[in-house]
Amino acid sequence: MSTPHPLLLVDDDAAFRKVYGGLLREAGYAVVEAADRPSARAAIDARDFPLVLLDLMLPPDGSVSAGLEGLAALLSAKPGTKVIVVSGAGDTRHTLEAVRLGAYDFLTKPVDPDVLLVVVQRALARVQLERQVETLRSSLTRAAGGVSLVGQSESFLAATALAERVAASELPVLVTGENGTGKELLARAVHLKSRRHDGPFVPINCGALPESLLESALFGHVKGSFTGATKDHRGLFAEADGGTLFLDELGDMSPSLQVKVLRALESGDILPVGADRPVQVDVRLISATHRDLGRMLQEGAFREDLFWRVKGVEIRLPPLRERPADLPLLAKHFLNQCAHLCPDGRARLLSDAVAEALLAHAWPGNLRELRHEMQRATVLAGERREIQPEDLSFTGSERLRPSSTPGATTLAQKVEALERREIEEALRRLNGNRTHTAEALGLSRQGLLKKLERFGLT
């Protein structure tokens, strides 16, 4: 039997706590109650609550301003906790301020019981998803020398959550996405979460070698099989035995070599170049490509049987231009990694002007380009505490996006404007097909419909 989720219900109204606390307990939650700020702080210090239902107007002073200060302090001390503000002070100004501070949702009394249960369920699902992603990120950081998967946008979280679910299986995985989106990092994460995590992770870029050398690199060769083969070579399939073989840029592989790879995957046998007997191997395959394999299939450039063999589960990593909400987070992450380049050893900060420039840029190089820009800006900033637009290589270039929607002044508004524009462009590109648009943006269909309603695009 699973342990019930612990929730903290903070409200000075005893009747409210009795009714709604009972409702939540009947729904299977472990509810802890607090009637004022001191008792709420004591409960939070003593226990990890994934979710807090918080009244803004609490003793001892009962003011909304003090309640908002308490909300900000809670979110700062417990960034992984979701807070649902439940209050009678339900005017728009208080609602917007609570959400701006980071509240998950704002419900006005009297609260519809069904609405409360749905919001609580969604908030806890979000907490669970974020914790799974953090676990995946931590595993990857250990394996990739401190380079980690960072993000909180819906499309990114959907990709990492799918990686988490498929990792424990033996299904082949196909990671798709533009160059620089972190496909190899995600492949390593899947390997680390799999039952093969103690085995080798062996990567190779199929587009980096000519066909003759790639065949030898994959399958190995025996001494004397060709000019220069002065000794036996095992090959990467054999090196990955008991672990994971990662074929990066699979779409660059020639059709003749595709046949040999398919045979190896189907039989588990590989035949080194020049050998007269096969070698048995046990590998899990993860592939990646920036190409459209479906289109290559139609054009006859990629074998259909190999396509279905490698596409056990497809995980699409969205390009950076589809993740505007992640840009400030990623930029700060890379700036923190560059702290050793600073004279004082302290990571540089983003100025508001730089944050706006990051949102306006198209990022054709994705994460690689962003990391390079933050390294460059850190060095050029010198003694300055904040990096400025002149520290960026692309400021004023023709690759910038169109300016943000007129009237968008805050960073959040500009992020929302970019998100709306991406959805509009995808809808136009896909002739208004919502299912295909949701897939292209890495959203669920329901998630897309919510955004269409929020942006008035219905």
Side-chain angles (χ1 to χ4, degrees):
M1 184 175 179
S2 61
T3 304
H5 291 288
L7 310 182
L8 178 61
L9 175 59
V10 187
D11 200 296
D12 62 329
D13 185 339
F16 181 88
R17 295 199 309 273
K18 180 178 180 180
V19 171
Y20 287 92
L23 174 70
L24 291 166
R25 290 186 182 95
E26 287 179 5
Y29 301 111
V31 182
V32 176
E33 298 180 11
D36 51 40
R37 286 195 191 90
S39 58
R41 279 196 296 268
I44 290 168
D45 289 340
R47 188 173 183 181
D48 177 29
F49 291 98
L51 180 62
V52 176
L53 291 93
L54 178 68
D55 184 9
L56 288 180
M57 302 173 67
L58 290 170
D61 53 18
S63 69
V64 174
S65 60
L68 291 171
E69 290 176 5
L71 171 64
L74 169 59
L75 291 170
S76 176
K78 302 286 185 178
T81 298
K82 299 302 175 190
V83 179
I84 299 173
V85 173
V86 182
S87 178
D91 62 73
T92 303
R93 182 168 56 87
H94 295 145
T95 300
L96 291 175
E97 182 63 14
V99 173
R100 186 190 70 79
L101 290 171
Y104 178 79
D105 210 334
F106 191 109
L107 301 177
T108 305
K109 294 178 180 178
V111 180
D112 184 316
D114 292 332
V115 171
L116 177 64
L117 291 176
V118 168
V119 173
V120 165
Q121 183 181 23
R122 287 179 177 173
L124 287 170
R126 179 76 180 195
V127 170
Q128 184 177 12
L129 177 60
E130 290 179 355
R131 291 185 176 182
Q132 288 174 345
V133 171
E134 183 57 37
T135 300
L136 197 64
R137 181 182 301 153
S138 298
S139 298
L140 184 58
T141 301
R142 290 194 298 271
V147 179
S148 61
L149 290 165
V150 175
Q152 59 187 11
S153 63
E154 285 189 30
S155 56
F156 172 81
L157 290 178
T160 49
L162 180 55
E164 175 83 16
R165 291 200 301 273
V166 75
S169 75
E170 288 291 298
L171 283 173
V173 176
L174 176 63
V175 188
T176 59
E178 296 177 7
N179 287 328
T181 51
K183 297 188 290 296
E184 183 172 344
L185 291 178
L186 190 71
R188 288 183 182 274
V190 172
H191 169 72
L192 287 168
K193 297 294 290 184
S194 74
R195 292 191 291 268
R196 297 172 176 263
H197 59 86
D198 289 330
F201 176 85
V202 180
I204 183 172
N205 188 320
C206 298
L209 295 172
E211 180 179 353
S212 58
L213 293 182
L214 181 58
E215 180 180 0
S216 174
L218 288 174
F219 302 113
H221 61 256
V222 298
K223 180 180 178 180
S225 57
F226 55 85
T227 303
T230 57
K231 60 181 180 179
D232 290 352
H233 172 64
R234 292 187 68 201
L236 298 182
F237 265 97
E239 293 290 342
D241 190 26
T244 302
L245 178 65
F246 175 57
L247 298 182
D248 197 7
E249 297 306 342
L250 180 70
D252 292 345
M253 186 180 291
S254 69
S256 61
L257 194 53
Q258 290 174 30
V259 176
K260 297 174 183 178
V261 169
L262 174 64
R263 186 182 304 119
L265 294 175
E266 289 182 333
S267 67
D269 291 334
I270 60 170
L271 186 64
V273 177
D276 55 8
R277 66 178 61 185
V279 178
Q280 185 75 32
V281 293
D282 172 27
V283 300
R284 183 192 189 175
L285 182 70
I286 302 180
S287 310
T289 183
H290 73 282
R291 297 180 180 274
D292 184 344
L293 293 187
R295 180 175 297 175
M296 291 180 67
L297 204 65
Q298 295 173 353
E299 295 171 350
F302 200 84
R303 293 182 61 90
E304 183 175 5
D305 43 11
L306 180 59
F307 175 77
W308 294 115
R309 171 63 66 174
V310 301
K311 192 184 178 181
V313 175
E314 181 177 351
I315 304 175
R316 176 185 179 269
L317 277 176
L320 207 47
R321 64 179 176 276
E322 292 180 12
R323 301 169 56 187
D326 289 343
L327 268 168
L329 182 68
L330 285 161
K332 291 174 184 176
H333 170 73
F334 289 133
L335 286 175
N336 288 336
Q337 289 188 339
C338 296
H340 67 284
L341 300 175
C342 302
D344 56 5
R346 298 170 60 195
R348 294 302 176 246
L349 304 174
L350 291 175
S351 65
D352 290 342
V354 167
E356 184 172 345
L358 296 181
L359 289 170
H361 189 54
W363 297 109
N366 292 297
L367 296 177
R368 288 198 192 102
E369 182 183 2
L370 178 60
R371 186 176 187 180
H372 164 76
E373 287 295 336
M374 294 304 99
Q375 289 173 336
R376 180 183 189 275
T378 295
V379 172
L380 295 183
E383 301 287 345
R384 278 187 278 111
R385 192 75 184 94
E386 290 186 337
I387 63 174
Q388 298 296 333
E390 58 265 26
D391 300 324
L392 303 174
S393 67
F394 57 78
T395 305
S397 75
E398 296 179 355
R399 292 190 299 173
L400 294 181
R401 292 171 179 266
S403 60
S404 300
T405 301
T409 57
T410 68
L411 184 59
Q413 288 173 329
K414 289 171 181 175
V415 169
E416 186 170 291
L418 284 170
E419 189 175 14
R420 176 190 177 115
R421 188 161 63 244
E422 289 291 346
I423 292 174
E424 289 176 326
E425 290 175 359
L427 281 169
R428 281 196 297 271
R429 189 170 68 251
L430 297 167
N431 300 317
N433 187 304
R434 295 180 178 182
T435 300
H436 293 167
T437 298
E439 291 175 354
L441 296 174
L443 300 172
S444 66
R445 193 173 191 279
Q446 190 63 31
L448 175 64
L449 293 177
K450 288 180 181 178
K451 289 182 183 294
L452 291 176
E453 183 176 356
R454 176 154 61 93
F455 294 143
L457 300 174
T458 54

